[in-house]
Amino acid sequence: MAKPLTGRGVLLWLLCTFGVVFAVNGFFIARAIATYPGEDVQNPYLQGVDFNQTLQARAEQAAEGWQATIAAKRVAGGAVEVTIVVDKKAGVLPADFSLTGLLRHPSDEELDHPLTFAASGPNRFVGHITGVRRGAWDVQVKANGRVAFEASRRVWLP
């Protein structure tokens, strides 16, 4: 014959059920915190406030006729080669024109890699980097010095 269900038995079942729920939630919270570090950019609020200046700078750059073609590919040995061809509609690039950049992971800034470029022909710049995972990456480049030029493009690296 089965024992009758008492108040103590109901309490025990409730405590065990909620204990399992809390344990599973705790596990998922710990995994979420460990695998996603949080904000992808520093000061996202200030970045949003300054967005009108960013749009204005992009419009000025487009009005001056700046254009860039950005490509990235994996080369022998597993390194990544980033190639940028810069054009200016109304003239040639300044003699001291140079670029720096960032190979940016879309969701984890700890995986970002700084880029340095060397001139490789007229208006063409090439940078090499090692230790890059496969997947989607953002190439962000910026002119050094007094020239206001920025460009970016998302690329897929196999």
Side-chain angles (χ1 to χ4, degrees), residues 52-134:
N52 285 337
Q53 285 91 2
T54 302
L55 290 177
Q56 182 179 358
R58 288 179 184 169
E60 290 171 3
Q61 179 176 313
E64 290 180 14
W66 287 99
Q67 293 184 344
T69 304
I70 300 173
K73 64 180 179 180
R74 192 144 330 246
V75 294
V80 172
E81 178 181 273
V82 179
T83 305
I84 300 172
V85 179
V86 179
D87 269 330
K88 186 174 181 188
K89 180 173 54 175
V92 296
L93 300 178
D96 61 345
F97 187 83
S98 63
L99 296 172
T100 57
L102 185 66
L103 186 62
R104 189 175 171 278
H105 192 272
S107 65
D108 190 353
E109 69 182 13
E110 291 183 17
L111 299 175
D112 294 353
H113 299 278
L115 289 168
T116 55
F117 295 96
S120 174
N123 300 0
R124 182 184 153 113
F125 300 87
V126 176
H128 291 89
I129 190 158
T130 58
V132 178
R133 292 183 181 180
R134 65 184 299 270

Side-chain angles (χ1 to χ4, degrees), residues 54 57-58 61 66 68 99 140-143 147-152:
T54 302
R58 288 179 184 169
Q61 179 176 313
W66 287 99
L99 296 172
Q140 298 175 335
V141 294
K142 187 180 196 177
V147 177
F149 170 76
E150 292 183 358
S152 64

